[in-house]
Amino acid sequence: MKSKASAPGKVILFGEHFVVYGVKAILCSINKRVTVTAEKIKEDKILVKSNIGNLELEANKNISEINSPLKPFYYLANKIIQNKNTGIIITVESEIPLGVGLGSSSACCVAGAAAISRLFSNTTKDEILELAIEAEKTIFQNTSGADCTVCTFGGIMEYDKENGFSKINSEPDFHLVIANSNIEHSTEVIVKDVKSFKENNEDEFSKLCKEETKLIEDVLELLKENKIKELGEKVNQNQKYLETIGISNQKIREMIQIGIKSSYGVKITGAGGGGCVFALTDDTNLNKTINQFREKDYECFSVKIDLQGLNTF
Ligand code: PMV
């Protein structure tokens, strides 16, 4: 018997970094997915196959001794097959570029948790989310859980440290053109850099947090009203704040100049220092924006909000 599940990637639309200091962030899942297939096997081993390589190990290994980006799958499989007298083979197919802030690891954890657990029982989305966050912690100890949550439930979500997650019921009709700087970033390192910026510039940082809070309030209204052009102005404003805290660089600034020519707004999504930017468009300027990035040889593609979240087959 096979069990199959898919989960979407995500972008942070507004509020990254400031969210670490209590400000609200807005995330959405995107229509690029990871699909995971799990199957029981007679041999007593855990085998993970993916386009970034394979992992083959016996069960009950100490997770800290495993040095592989596929470690979350091992963690999930090992936990779920305990006392079940079976091995497992997991196949991963991904449409989401790796390590550039588009939630590929969260989507792997969510789809992995669903595909593996549903080989044995009818786990709920909440149970799957809990497993996925545990698995993600094997590679990023301090995850807020926001990414796995939006990958599980889909749509747009607001998140803050004190109140957790809540789904936003707007369905704004925009396209995001995502362009990849192809510079891999370490979220942990960049979060530390922002902490130093804050410690050296307490007054300025606290003013920025207040401005970001106001911006997010405005964005929540604009999302309800589907006002894409005005949202674009907020995207640009948010990018200025990210520039001030030092997470941009020359390449990102160049990409922003390209995107801004025809879209409504462009910003970093996620930790910055590399990774991706998104340009906000509607049907009228979508193709032009894509072409402008491609003319300058940037890897880019367009996405829409995914409303489905986790899907099991
Ligand atoms: O690039 P990502 O998807 O890892 O986003 C990090 C978001 C931060 O706000 C910078 C950190 C965090 O834990 O919220």
PDB file of all heavy atoms in Angstrom, residues 3 35-41 45-51 53-55 70-78 80-81 87-93 108 111-113 115-116 119:
ATOM      1  N   SER A   3       1.009   5.607   0.340  1.00  0.00           N
ATOM      2  CA  SER A   3       0.285   6.783   0.825  1.00  0.00           C
ATOM      3  C   SER A   3       0.982   8.013   0.258  1.00  0.00           C
ATOM      4  O   SER A   3       2.213   8.101   0.262  1.00  0.00           O
ATOM      5  CB  SER A   3       0.329   6.762   2.355  1.00  0.00           C
ATOM      6  OG  SER A   3       0.121   8.032   2.878  1.00  0.00           O
ATOM      7  N   THR A  35       5.636  16.858  -3.134  1.00  0.00           N
ATOM      8  CA  THR A  35       4.795  15.654  -3.040  1.00  0.00           C
ATOM      9  C   THR A  35       5.638  14.518  -2.467  1.00  0.00           C
ATOM     10  O   THR A  35       6.764  14.283  -2.919  1.00  0.00           O
ATOM     11  CB  THR A  35       4.253  15.262  -4.438  1.00  0.00           C
ATOM     12  OG1 THR A  35       3.550  16.398  -4.947  1.00  0.00           O
ATOM     13  CG2 THR A  35       3.305  14.077  -4.383  1.00  0.00           C
ATOM     14  N   VAL A  36       5.100  13.854  -1.462  1.00  0.00           N
ATOM     15  CA  VAL A  36       5.831  12.760  -0.807  1.00  0.00           C
ATOM     16  C   VAL A  36       4.990  11.489  -0.893  1.00  0.00           C
ATOM     17  O   VAL A  36       3.789  11.505  -0.627  1.00  0.00           O
ATOM     18  CB  VAL A  36       6.112  13.095   0.678  1.00  0.00           C
ATOM     19  CG1 VAL A  36       6.791  11.925   1.386  1.00  0.00           C
ATOM     20  CG2 VAL A  36       6.976  14.349   0.791  1.00  0.00           C
ATOM     21  N   THR A  37       5.655  10.395  -1.306  1.00  0.00           N
ATOM     22  CA  THR A  37       4.989   9.091  -1.350  1.00  0.00           C
ATOM     23  C   THR A  37       5.685   8.182  -0.339  1.00  0.00           C
ATOM     24  O   THR A  37       6.917   8.145  -0.283  1.00  0.00           O
ATOM     25  CB  THR A  37       5.121   8.462  -2.758  1.00  0.00           C
ATOM     26  OG1 THR A  37       4.724   9.449  -3.710  1.00  0.00           O
ATOM     27  CG2 THR A  37       4.252   7.235  -2.920  1.00  0.00           C
ATOM     28  N   ALA A  38       4.909   7.481   0.469  1.00  0.00           N
ATOM     29  CA  ALA A  38       5.501   6.566   1.462  1.00  0.00           C
ATOM     30  C   ALA A  38       4.933   5.172   1.233  1.00  0.00           C
ATOM     31  O   ALA A  38       3.761   5.016   0.886  1.00  0.00           O
ATOM     32  CB  ALA A  38       5.176   7.037   2.871  1.00  0.00           C
ATOM     33  N   GLU A  39       5.803   4.167   1.404  1.00  0.00           N
ATOM     34  CA  GLU A  39       5.372   2.779   1.190  1.00  0.00           C
ATOM     35  C   GLU A  39       6.085   1.873   2.192  1.00  0.00           C
ATOM     36  O   GLU A  39       7.286   2.062   2.446  1.00  0.00           O
ATOM     37  CB  GLU A  39       5.750   2.382  -0.250  1.00  0.00           C
ATOM     38  CG  GLU A  39       5.087   1.138  -0.722  1.00  0.00           C
ATOM     39  CD  GLU A  39       5.415   0.856  -2.206  1.00  0.00           C
ATOM     40  OE1 GLU A  39       6.220   1.589  -2.813  1.00  0.00           O
ATOM     41  OE2 GLU A  39       4.875  -0.124  -2.727  1.00  0.00           O
ATOM     42  N   LYS A  40       5.356   0.908   2.744  1.00  0.00           N
ATOM     43  CA  LYS A  40       5.993  -0.035   3.671  1.00  0.00           C
ATOM     44  C   LYS A  40       6.876  -0.993   2.876  1.00  0.00           C
ATOM     45  O   LYS A  40       6.524  -1.367   1.752  1.00  0.00           O
ATOM     46  CB  LYS A  40       4.930  -0.864   4.393  1.00  0.00           C
ATOM     47  CG  LYS A  40       4.100  -0.063   5.376  1.00  0.00           C
ATOM     48  CD  LYS A  40       3.170  -1.021   6.109  1.00  0.00           C
ATOM     49  CE  LYS A  40       1.941  -0.298   6.579  1.00  0.00           C
ATOM     50  NZ  LYS A  40       0.918  -1.156   7.129  1.00  0.00           N
ATOM     51  N   ILE A  41       8.005  -1.403   3.464  1.00  0.00           N
ATOM     52  CA  ILE A  41       8.840  -2.438   2.836  1.00  0.00           C
ATOM     53  C   ILE A  41       9.211  -3.497   3.883  1.00  0.00           C
ATOM     54  O   ILE A  41       9.175  -3.217   5.085  1.00  0.00           O
ATOM     55  CB  ILE A  41      10.143  -1.849   2.206  1.00  0.00           C
ATOM     56  CG1 ILE A  41      10.882  -0.924   3.179  1.00  0.00           C
ATOM     57  CG2 ILE A  41       9.859  -1.151   0.894  1.00  0.00           C
ATOM     58  CD1 ILE A  41      12.252  -0.488   2.720  1.00  0.00           C
ATOM     59  N   LYS A  45      14.587  -1.106   7.219  1.00  0.00           N
ATOM     60  CA  LYS A  45      15.381   0.107   7.003  1.00  0.00           C
ATOM     61  C   LYS A  45      14.484   1.273   6.573  1.00  0.00           C
ATOM     62  O   LYS A  45      13.320   1.074   6.193  1.00  0.00           O
ATOM     63  CB  LYS A  45      16.472  -0.145   5.963  1.00  0.00           C
ATOM     64  CG  LYS A  45      15.937  -0.467   4.602  1.00  0.00           C
ATOM     65  CD  LYS A  45      17.079  -0.738   3.619  1.00  0.00           C
ATOM     66  CE  LYS A  45      16.489  -1.039   2.264  1.00  0.00           C
ATOM     67  NZ  LYS A  45      17.445  -1.517   1.302  1.00  0.00           N
ATOM     68  N   ILE A  46      15.085   2.448   6.648  1.00  0.00           N
ATOM     69  CA  ILE A  46      14.366   3.653   6.210  1.00  0.00           C
ATOM     70  C   ILE A  46      15.133   4.202   5.012  1.00  0.00           C
ATOM     71  O   ILE A  46      16.336   4.466   5.103  1.00  0.00           O
ATOM     72  CB  ILE A  46      14.306   4.690   7.359  1.00  0.00           C
ATOM     73  CG1 ILE A  46      13.436   4.139   8.509  1.00  0.00           C
ATOM     74  CG2 ILE A  46      13.776   6.029   6.850  1.00  0.00           C
ATOM     75  CD1 ILE A  46      13.555   4.913   9.800  1.00  0.00           C
ATOM     76  N   LEU A  47      14.427   4.350   3.900  1.00  0.00           N
ATOM     77  CA  LEU A  47      15.062   4.787   2.655  1.00  0.00           C
ATOM     78  C   LEU A  47      14.342   6.036   2.132  1.00  0.00           C
ATOM     79  O   LEU A  47      13.118   6.027   2.009  1.00  0.00           O
ATOM     80  CB  LEU A  47      14.964   3.623   1.654  1.00  0.00           C
ATOM     81  CG  LEU A  47      15.518   3.796   0.264  1.00  0.00           C
ATOM     82  CD1 LEU A  47      16.997   4.134   0.309  1.00  0.00           C
ATOM     83  CD2 LEU A  47      15.332   2.489  -0.522  1.00  0.00           C
ATOM     84  N   VAL A  48      15.111   7.103   1.905  1.00  0.00           N
ATOM     85  CA  VAL A  48      14.499   8.335   1.377  1.00  0.00           C
ATOM     86  C   VAL A  48      15.127   8.624   0.013  1.00  0.00           C
ATOM     87  O   VAL A  48      16.365   8.676  -0.100  1.00  0.00           O
ATOM     88  CB  VAL A  48      14.760   9.552   2.315  1.00  0.00           C
ATOM     89  CG1 VAL A  48      13.959  10.764   1.839  1.00  0.00           C
ATOM     90  CG2 VAL A  48      14.437   9.227   3.766  1.00  0.00           C
ATOM     91  N   LYS A  49      14.296   8.809  -0.998  1.00  0.00           N
ATOM     92  CA  LYS A  49      14.803   9.103  -2.353  1.00  0.00           C
ATOM     93  C   LYS A  49      14.338  10.495  -2.751  1.00  0.00           C
ATOM     94  O   LYS A  49      13.136  10.799  -2.631  1.00  0.00           O
ATOM     95  CB  LYS A  49      14.230   8.109  -3.353  1.00  0.00           C
ATOM     96  CG  LYS A  49      14.809   6.714  -3.230  1.00  0.00           C
ATOM     97  CD  LYS A  49      14.234   5.866  -4.330  1.00  0.00           C
ATOM     98  CE  LYS A  49      15.008   4.566  -4.466  1.00  0.00           C
ATOM     99  NZ  LYS A  49      14.431   3.731  -5.491  1.00  0.00           N
ATOM    100  N   SER A  50      15.267  11.326  -3.228  1.00  0.00           N
ATOM    101  CA  SER A  50      14.851  12.677  -3.641  1.00  0.00           C
ATOM    102  C   SER A  50      15.776  13.173  -4.739  1.00  0.00           C
ATOM    103  O   SER A  50      16.824  12.577  -4.985  1.00  0.00           O
ATOM    104  CB  SER A  50      14.936  13.634  -2.456  1.00  0.00           C
ATOM    105  OG  SER A  50      16.274  14.048  -2.277  1.00  0.00           O
ATOM    106  N   ASN A  51      15.405  14.303  -5.364  1.00  0.00           N
ATOM    107  CA  ASN A  51      16.291  14.795  -6.429  1.00  0.00           C
ATOM    108  C   ASN A  51      17.523  15.504  -5.883  1.00  0.00           C
ATOM    109  O   ASN A  51      18.378  15.954  -6.628  1.00  0.00           O
ATOM    110  CB  ASN A  51      15.528  15.664  -7.449  1.00  0.00           C
ATOM    111  CG  ASN A  51      14.762  16.773  -6.773  1.00  0.00           C
ATOM    112  OD1 ASN A  51      14.865  16.943  -5.557  1.00  0.00           O
ATOM    113  ND2 ASN A  51      14.000  17.524  -7.530  1.00  0.00           N
ATOM    114  N   GLY A  53      19.348  13.762  -3.631  1.00  0.00           N
ATOM    115  CA  GLY A  53      20.135  12.624  -3.153  1.00  0.00           C
ATOM    116  C   GLY A  53      19.265  11.651  -2.379  1.00  0.00           C
ATOM    117  O   GLY A  53      18.058  11.877  -2.234  1.00  0.00           O
ATOM    118  N   ASN A  54      19.890  10.564  -1.922  1.00  0.00           N
ATOM    119  CA  ASN A  54      19.155   9.526  -1.199  1.00  0.00           C
ATOM    120  C   ASN A  54      19.732   9.367   0.201  1.00  0.00           C
ATOM    121  O   ASN A  54      20.883   9.732   0.459  1.00  0.00           O
ATOM    122  CB  ASN A  54      19.273   8.188  -1.926  1.00  0.00           C
ATOM    123  CG  ASN A  54      18.676   8.272  -3.328  1.00  0.00           C
ATOM    124  OD1 ASN A  54      17.881   9.168  -3.618  1.00  0.00           O
ATOM    125  ND2 ASN A  54      19.074   7.355  -4.176  1.00  0.00           N
ATOM    126  N   LEU A  55      18.927   8.778   1.077  1.00  0.00           N
ATOM    127  CA  LEU A  55      19.392   8.482   2.436  1.00  0.00           C
ATOM    128  C   LEU A  55      18.885   7.075   2.761  1.00  0.00           C
ATOM    129  O   LEU A  55      17.707   6.784   2.560  1.00  0.00           O
ATOM    130  CB  LEU A  55      18.767   9.506   3.401  1.00  0.00           C
ATOM    131  CG  LEU A  55      19.112   9.396   4.893  1.00  0.00           C
ATOM    132  CD1 LEU A  55      20.562   9.800   5.137  1.00  0.00           C
ATOM    133  CD2 LEU A  55      18.196  10.322   5.705  1.00  0.00           C
ATOM    134  N   LEU A  70      17.931  15.499   4.460  1.00  0.00           N
ATOM    135  CA  LEU A  70      16.750  14.621   4.450  1.00  0.00           C
ATOM    136  C   LEU A  70      16.410  14.087   5.849  1.00  0.00           C
ATOM    137  O   LEU A  70      15.497  13.271   6.016  1.00  0.00           O
ATOM    138  CB  LEU A  70      16.976  13.456   3.474  1.00  0.00           C
ATOM    139  CG  LEU A  70      17.240  13.874   2.019  1.00  0.00           C
ATOM    140  CD1 LEU A  70      17.641  12.673   1.169  1.00  0.00           C
ATOM    141  CD2 LEU A  70      16.002  14.536   1.410  1.00  0.00           C
ATOM    142  N   LYS A  71      17.176  14.593   6.846  1.00  0.00           N
ATOM    143  CA  LYS A  71      17.005  14.135   8.232  1.00  0.00           C
ATOM    144  C   LYS A  71      15.557  14.210   8.754  1.00  0.00           C
ATOM    145  O   LYS A  71      15.118  13.307   9.449  1.00  0.00           O
ATOM    146  CB  LYS A  71      17.959  14.994   9.075  1.00  0.00           C
ATOM    147  CG  LYS A  71      17.959  14.799  10.531  1.00  0.00           C
ATOM    148  CD  LYS A  71      19.305  15.209  11.094  1.00  0.00           C
ATOM    149  CE  LYS A  71      19.350  16.677  11.457  1.00  0.00           C
ATOM    150  NZ  LYS A  71      20.528  16.988  12.296  1.00  0.00           N
ATOM    151  N   PRO A  72      14.780  15.276   8.430  1.00  0.00           N
ATOM    152  CA  PRO A  72      13.408  15.303   8.958  1.00  0.00           C
ATOM    153  C   PRO A  72      12.573  14.089   8.534  1.00  0.00           C
ATOM    154  O   PRO A  72      11.739  13.613   9.301  1.00  0.00           O
ATOM    155  CB  PRO A  72      12.815  16.591   8.366  1.00  0.00           C
ATOM    156  CG  PRO A  72      13.985  17.445   8.062  1.00  0.00           C
ATOM    157  CD  PRO A  72      15.101  16.520   7.690  1.00  0.00           C
ATOM    158  N   PHE A  73      12.821  13.576   7.309  1.00  0.00           N
ATOM    159  CA  PHE A  73      12.061  12.398   6.860  1.00  0.00           C
ATOM    160  C   PHE A  73      12.431  11.184   7.704  1.00  0.00           C
ATOM    161  O   PHE A  73      11.586  10.377   8.056  1.00  0.00           O
ATOM    162  CB  PHE A  73      12.341  12.095   5.377  1.00  0.00           C
ATOM    163  CG  PHE A  73      11.800  13.137   4.444  1.00  0.00           C
ATOM    164  CD1 PHE A  73      12.642  14.038   3.812  1.00  0.00           C
ATOM    165  CD2 PHE A  73      10.439  13.230   4.209  1.00  0.00           C
ATOM    166  CE1 PHE A  73      12.140  14.998   2.956  1.00  0.00           C
ATOM    167  CE2 PHE A  73       9.924  14.185   3.351  1.00  0.00           C
ATOM    168  CZ  PHE A  73      10.782  15.080   2.730  1.00  0.00           C
ATOM    169  N   TYR A  74      13.735  11.060   7.985  1.00  0.00           N
ATOM    170  CA  TYR A  74      14.183   9.946   8.821  1.00  0.00           C
ATOM    171  C   TYR A  74      13.527  10.038  10.194  1.00  0.00           C
ATOM    172  O   TYR A  74      13.005   9.054  10.728  1.00  0.00           O
ATOM    173  CB  TYR A  74      15.713   9.950   8.964  1.00  0.00           C
ATOM    174  CG  TYR A  74      16.192   8.797   9.806  1.00  0.00           C
ATOM    175  CD1 TYR A  74      16.405   7.545   9.244  1.00  0.00           C
ATOM    176  CD2 TYR A  74      16.367   8.948  11.175  1.00  0.00           C
ATOM    177  CE1 TYR A  74      16.795   6.463  10.022  1.00  0.00           C
ATOM    178  CE2 TYR A  74      16.749   7.882  11.970  1.00  0.00           C
ATOM    179  CZ  TYR A  74      16.962   6.641  11.386  1.00  0.00           C
ATOM    180  OH  TYR A  74      17.325   5.573  12.148  1.00  0.00           O
ATOM    181  N   TYR A  75      13.532  11.267  10.756  1.00  0.00           N
ATOM    182  CA  TYR A  75      12.946  11.471  12.079  1.00  0.00           C
ATOM    183  C   TYR A  75      11.476  11.006  12.093  1.00  0.00           C
ATOM    184  O   TYR A  75      11.039  10.272  12.968  1.00  0.00           O
ATOM    185  CB  TYR A  75      13.044  12.962  12.466  1.00  0.00           C
ATOM    186  CG  TYR A  75      12.292  13.282  13.725  1.00  0.00           C
ATOM    187  CD1 TYR A  75      12.894  13.125  14.971  1.00  0.00           C
ATOM    188  CD2 TYR A  75      10.955  13.686  13.671  1.00  0.00           C
ATOM    189  CE1 TYR A  75      12.172  13.373  16.133  1.00  0.00           C
ATOM    190  CE2 TYR A  75      10.235  13.933  14.820  1.00  0.00           C
ATOM    191  CZ  TYR A  75      10.846  13.776  16.048  1.00  0.00           C
ATOM    192  OH  TYR A  75      10.134  14.014  17.198  1.00  0.00           O
ATOM    193  N   LEU A  76      10.735  11.452  11.074  1.00  0.00           N
ATOM    194  CA  LEU A  76       9.300  11.129  11.009  1.00  0.00           C
ATOM    195  C   LEU A  76       9.093   9.620  10.851  1.00  0.00           C
ATOM    196  O   LEU A  76       8.303   9.010  11.567  1.00  0.00           O
ATOM    197  CB  LEU A  76       8.658  11.853   9.808  1.00  0.00           C
ATOM    198  CG  LEU A  76       8.501  13.361   9.946  1.00  0.00           C
ATOM    199  CD1 LEU A  76       8.249  13.990   8.579  1.00  0.00           C
ATOM    200  CD2 LEU A  76       7.377  13.701  10.919  1.00  0.00           C
ATOM    201  N   ALA A  77       9.830   9.028   9.902  1.00  0.00           N
ATOM    202  CA  ALA A  77       9.638   7.600   9.630  1.00  0.00           C
ATOM    203  C   ALA A  77       9.995   6.784  10.864  1.00  0.00           C
ATOM    204  O   ALA A  77       9.247   5.893  11.288  1.00  0.00           O
ATOM    205  CB  ALA A  77      10.495   7.183   8.440  1.00  0.00           C
ATOM    206  N   ASN A  78      11.123   7.125  11.485  1.00  0.00           N
ATOM    207  CA  ASN A  78      11.587   6.362  12.643  1.00  0.00           C
ATOM    208  C   ASN A  78      10.582   6.445  13.782  1.00  0.00           C
ATOM    209  O   ASN A  78      10.297   5.455  14.452  1.00  0.00           O
ATOM    210  CB  ASN A  78      12.949   6.912  13.082  1.00  0.00           C
ATOM    211  CG  ASN A  78      13.626   5.986  14.041  1.00  0.00           C
ATOM    212  OD1 ASN A  78      13.660   4.772  13.828  1.00  0.00           O
ATOM    213  ND2 ASN A  78      14.150   6.537  15.119  1.00  0.00           N
ATOM    214  N   ILE A  80       7.325   7.079  13.531  1.00  0.00           N
ATOM    215  CA  ILE A  80       6.012   6.509  13.209  1.00  0.00           C
ATOM    216  C   ILE A  80       6.053   4.976  13.086  1.00  0.00           C
ATOM    217  O   ILE A  80       5.081   4.306  13.412  1.00  0.00           O
ATOM    218  CB  ILE A  80       5.443   7.198  11.940  1.00  0.00           C
ATOM    219  CG1 ILE A  80       5.159   8.680  12.265  1.00  0.00           C
ATOM    220  CG2 ILE A  80       4.176   6.522  11.430  1.00  0.00           C
ATOM    221  CD1 ILE A  80       4.896   9.573  11.059  1.00  0.00           C
ATOM    222  N   ILE A  81       7.211   4.417  12.688  1.00  0.00           N
ATOM    223  CA  ILE A  81       7.237   2.935  12.533  1.00  0.00           C
ATOM    224  C   ILE A  81       7.631   2.203  13.821  1.00  0.00           C
ATOM    225  O   ILE A  81       7.719   0.973  13.810  1.00  0.00           O
ATOM    226  CB  ILE A  81       8.143   2.461  11.361  1.00  0.00           C
ATOM    227  CG1 ILE A  81       9.603   2.828  11.595  1.00  0.00           C
ATOM    228  CG2 ILE A  81       7.637   2.977  10.018  1.00  0.00           C
ATOM    229  CD1 ILE A  81      10.561   2.221  10.547  1.00  0.00           C
ATOM    230  N   GLY A  87       9.773  -1.686   7.504  1.00  0.00           N
ATOM    231  CA  GLY A  87      10.650  -0.629   7.024  1.00  0.00           C
ATOM    232  C   GLY A  87       9.813   0.308   6.164  1.00  0.00           C
ATOM    233  O   GLY A  87       8.602   0.097   5.995  1.00  0.00           O
ATOM    234  N   ILE A  88      10.468   1.330   5.610  1.00  0.00           N
ATOM    235  CA  ILE A  88       9.668   2.290   4.847  1.00  0.00           C
ATOM    236  C   ILE A  88      10.513   2.904   3.729  1.00  0.00           C
ATOM    237  O   ILE A  88      11.722   3.104   3.896  1.00  0.00           O
ATOM    238  CB  ILE A  88       9.100   3.349   5.821  1.00  0.00           C
ATOM    239  CG1 ILE A  88       7.876   4.031   5.261  1.00  0.00           C
ATOM    240  CG2 ILE A  88      10.106   4.368   6.230  1.00  0.00           C
ATOM    241  CD1 ILE A  88       7.003   4.617   6.346  1.00  0.00           C
ATOM    242  N   ILE A  89       9.882   3.158   2.613  1.00  0.00           N
ATOM    243  CA  ILE A  89      10.565   3.875   1.534  1.00  0.00           C
ATOM    244  C   ILE A  89       9.772   5.156   1.246  1.00  0.00           C
ATOM    245  O   ILE A  89       8.539   5.122   1.150  1.00  0.00           O
ATOM    246  CB  ILE A  89      10.754   2.982   0.286  1.00  0.00           C
ATOM    247  CG1 ILE A  89      11.452   3.756  -0.816  1.00  0.00           C
ATOM    248  CG2 ILE A  89       9.469   2.425  -0.245  1.00  0.00           C
ATOM    249  CD1 ILE A  89      11.992   2.866  -1.936  1.00  0.00           C
ATOM    250  N   ILE A  90      10.513   6.255   1.166  1.00  0.00           N
ATOM    251  CA  ILE A  90       9.869   7.570   0.992  1.00  0.00           C
ATOM    252  C   ILE A  90      10.420   8.201  -0.280  1.00  0.00           C
ATOM    253  O   ILE A  90      11.645   8.257  -0.464  1.00  0.00           O
ATOM    254  CB  ILE A  90      10.217   8.478   2.206  1.00  0.00           C
ATOM    255  CG1 ILE A  90       9.663   7.863   3.495  1.00  0.00           C
ATOM    256  CG2 ILE A  90       9.695   9.893   2.022  1.00  0.00           C
ATOM    257  CD1 ILE A  90      10.366   8.386   4.733  1.00  0.00           C
ATOM    258  N   THR A  91       9.542   8.671  -1.157  1.00  0.00           N
ATOM    259  CA  THR A  91       9.991   9.349  -2.376  1.00  0.00           C
ATOM    260  C   THR A  91       9.517  10.800  -2.338  1.00  0.00           C
ATOM    261  O   THR A  91       8.352  11.070  -2.046  1.00  0.00           O
ATOM    262  CB  THR A  91       9.410   8.651  -3.621  1.00  0.00           C
ATOM    263  OG1 THR A  91       9.658   7.256  -3.469  1.00  0.00           O
ATOM    264  CG2 THR A  91      10.050   9.126  -4.897  1.00  0.00           C
ATOM    265  N   VAL A  92      10.461  11.723  -2.613  1.00  0.00           N
ATOM    266  CA  VAL A  92      10.151  13.147  -2.505  1.00  0.00           C
ATOM    267  C   VAL A  92      10.282  13.799  -3.878  1.00  0.00           C
ATOM    268  O   VAL A  92      11.314  13.656  -4.541  1.00  0.00           O
ATOM    269  CB  VAL A  92      11.161  13.844  -1.552  1.00  0.00           C
ATOM    270  CG1 VAL A  92      10.749  15.287  -1.292  1.00  0.00           C
ATOM    271  CG2 VAL A  92      11.320  13.073  -0.251  1.00  0.00           C
ATOM    272  N   GLU A  93       9.245  14.502  -4.303  1.00  0.00           N
ATOM    273  CA  GLU A  93       9.321  15.278  -5.557  1.00  0.00           C
ATOM    274  C   GLU A  93       8.982  16.723  -5.216  1.00  0.00           C
ATOM    275  O   GLU A  93       7.968  16.963  -4.555  1.00  0.00           O
ATOM    276  CB  GLU A  93       8.302  14.752  -6.560  1.00  0.00           C
ATOM    277  CG  GLU A  93       8.621  13.372  -7.094  1.00  0.00           C
ATOM    278  CD  GLU A  93       7.363  12.657  -7.554  1.00  0.00           C
ATOM    279  OE1 GLU A  93       6.617  12.165  -6.694  1.00  0.00           O
ATOM    280  OE2 GLU A  93       7.123  12.619  -8.760  1.00  0.00           O
ATOM    281  N   CYS A 108       8.178  19.916   2.960  1.00  0.00           N
ATOM    282  CA  CYS A 108       8.648  18.519   3.068  1.00  0.00           C
ATOM    283  C   CYS A 108       8.182  17.906   4.384  1.00  0.00           C
ATOM    284  O   CYS A 108       7.737  16.749   4.425  1.00  0.00           O
ATOM    285  CB  CYS A 108      10.187  18.465   3.040  1.00  0.00           C
ATOM    286  SG  CYS A 108      10.865  18.646   1.393  1.00  0.00           S
ATOM    287  N   ALA A 111       4.231  17.412   4.207  1.00  0.00           N
ATOM    288  CA  ALA A 111       3.826  16.325   3.293  1.00  0.00           C
ATOM    289  C   ALA A 111       4.391  14.990   3.790  1.00  0.00           C
ATOM    290  O   ALA A 111       3.720  13.948   3.698  1.00  0.00           O
ATOM    291  CB  ALA A 111       4.304  16.628   1.872  1.00  0.00           C
ATOM    292  N   GLY A 112       5.613  15.023   4.330  1.00  0.00           N
ATOM    293  CA  GLY A 112       6.240  13.800   4.872  1.00  0.00           C
ATOM    294  C   GLY A 112       5.438  13.261   6.049  1.00  0.00           C
ATOM    295  O   GLY A 112       5.114  12.071   6.112  1.00  0.00           O
ATOM    296  N   ALA A 113       5.094  14.141   6.981  1.00  0.00           N
ATOM    297  CA  ALA A 113       4.340  13.705   8.171  1.00  0.00           C
ATOM    298  C   ALA A 113       2.996  13.099   7.742  1.00  0.00           C
ATOM    299  O   ALA A 113       2.566  12.075   8.278  1.00  0.00           O
ATOM    300  CB  ALA A 113       4.116  14.886   9.115  1.00  0.00           C
ATOM    301  N   ALA A 115       2.114  11.803   4.639  1.00  0.00           N
ATOM    302  CA  ALA A 115       2.228  10.562   3.848  1.00  0.00           C
ATOM    303  C   ALA A 115       2.606   9.388   4.750  1.00  0.00           C
ATOM    304  O   ALA A 115       2.038   8.296   4.636  1.00  0.00           O
ATOM    305  CB  ALA A 115       3.255  10.749   2.734  1.00  0.00           C
ATOM    306  N   ILE A 116       3.569   9.612   5.658  1.00  0.00           N
ATOM    307  CA  ILE A 116       4.040   8.486   6.483  1.00  0.00           C
ATOM    308  C   ILE A 116       2.978   8.098   7.521  1.00  0.00           C
ATOM    309  O   ILE A 116       2.633   6.933   7.667  1.00  0.00           O
ATOM    310  CB  ILE A 116       5.390   8.828   7.158  1.00  0.00           C
ATOM    311  CG1 ILE A 116       6.442   9.184   6.099  1.00  0.00           C
ATOM    312  CG2 ILE A 116       5.865   7.655   8.024  1.00  0.00           C
ATOM    313  CD1 ILE A 116       7.700   9.855   6.644  1.00  0.00           C
ATOM    314  N   LEU A 119      -0.048   6.062   6.419  1.00  0.00           N
ATOM    315  CA  LEU A 119       0.127   4.642   6.077  1.00  0.00           C
ATOM    316  C   LEU A 119      -0.432   3.767   7.197  1.00  0.00           C
ATOM    317  O   LEU A 119      -0.743   2.601   6.992  1.00  0.00           O
ATOM    318  CB  LEU A 119       1.623   4.319   5.962  1.00  0.00           C
ATOM    319  CG  LEU A 119       2.321   4.397   4.627  1.00  0.00           C
ATOM    320  CD1 LEU A 119       3.788   4.066   4.814  1.00  0.00           C
ATOM    321  CD2 LEU A 119       1.687   3.482   3.588  1.00  0.00           C
TER     322      LEU A 119
END
